[in-house]
């Protein structure tokens, strides 16, 4: 499959999600930790699949994610740590990307409020990334 990162489709939605001049009023970490008790980190069926991505709460997910960010910074990743964190959090197999995507698809403004800080960091991280055109392959063995 040929995949590309076409941010132009998001350019239409983002101004609705993040009004002009919007700036987060808290850190990315604080916004994720604020989900505790409101949003489950993982669905029960996620725990049925053994692996290294089992997070009982948002605090343990953040702890592991911060270790990942430290490693990326040590390897010389040019992105600021909070942008690395946003990208990493989006790619972890947990409810964050599922519920955030669902709220965006459904245009559920009330649900999106929970994720607005995260979306700001994610959007700005995506804008700072360098894009290279290449072919990637995805599949299951």
């Amino acid at each position: 499959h040929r995949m590309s990162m076409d941010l132009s489709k998001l350019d239409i939605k983002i101004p609705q999600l993040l009004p002009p001049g919007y700036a987060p009023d808290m850190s990315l970490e604080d916004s994720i930790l604020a989900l505790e008790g409101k949003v489950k980190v993982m669905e029960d069926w996620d725990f049925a699949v053994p692996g290294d991505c089992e997070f009982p709460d948002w605090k343990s997910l953040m702890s592991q994610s911060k270790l990942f960010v430290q490693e990326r910074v040590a390897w010389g990743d040019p992105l600021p740590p909070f942008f690395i964190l946003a990208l990493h959090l989006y790619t972890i197999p947990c409810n964050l990307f599922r519920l955030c995507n669902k709220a965006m698809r459904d245009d559920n403004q009330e649900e999106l409020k929970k994720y607005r800080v995260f979306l700001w960091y994610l959007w700005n991280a995506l804008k700072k990334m360098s894009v290279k055109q290449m072919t990637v392959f995805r599949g299951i063995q």
Side-chain angles (χ1 to χ4, degrees):
H1 293 280
R2 192 170 192 106
M3 295 177 61
S4 66
M5 196 166 95
D6 182 7
L7 297 180
S8 64
K9 292 176 184 172
L10 287 174
D11 281 335
I12 297 165
K13 274 269 201 218
I14 291 300
Q16 296 169 357
L17 300 172
L18 304 172
Y22 173 81
D25 57 355
M26 67 174 67
S27 71
L28 176 57
E29 180 177 0
D30 288 344
S31 75
I32 297 300
L33 294 176
L35 296 173
E36 192 66 52
K38 299 175 189 169
V39 177
K40 288 173 70 174
V41 179
M42 301 181 80
E43 295 298 332
D44 294 333
W45 56 266
D46 285 327
F47 290 107
V49 180
D52 59 353
C53 291
E54 297 174 4
F55 304 106
D57 54 35
W58 291 104
K59 187 175 180 180
S60 63
L61 180 138
M62 280 304 302
S63 294
Q64 289 297 313
S65 297
K66 285 164 59 175
L67 291 173
F68 174 83
V69 171
Q70 287 175 349
E71 184 178 291
R72 296 299 309 169
V73 169
W75 279 91
D77 195 311
L79 285 175
F82 45 85
F83 288 156
I84 297 170
L85 179 59
L87 292 165
H88 179 68
L89 288 170
Y90 188 75
T91 60
I92 292 175
C94 70
N95 268 340
L96 185 59
F97 78 91
R98 289 181 186 123
L99 297 176
C100 193
N101 284 351
K102 182 176 179 357
M104 285 191 288
R105 274 192 312 272
D106 297 346
D107 200 23
N108 185 335
Q109 294 299 313
E110 196 58 39
E111 272 300 298
L112 282 169
K113 286 179 185 176
K114 294 178 192 173
Y115 309 109
R116 189 159 279 146
V117 172
F118 168 68
L119 288 169
W120 185 89
Y121 281 100
L122 181 63
W123 176 244
N124 283 287
L126 288 170
K127 290 193 310 186
K128 288 210 176 283
M129 290 179 63
S130 59
V131 178
K132 297 177 186 174
Q133 187 166 356
M134 65 179 76
T135 301
V136 296
F137 299 92
R138 294 178 54 180
I140 299 173
Q141 291 184 356

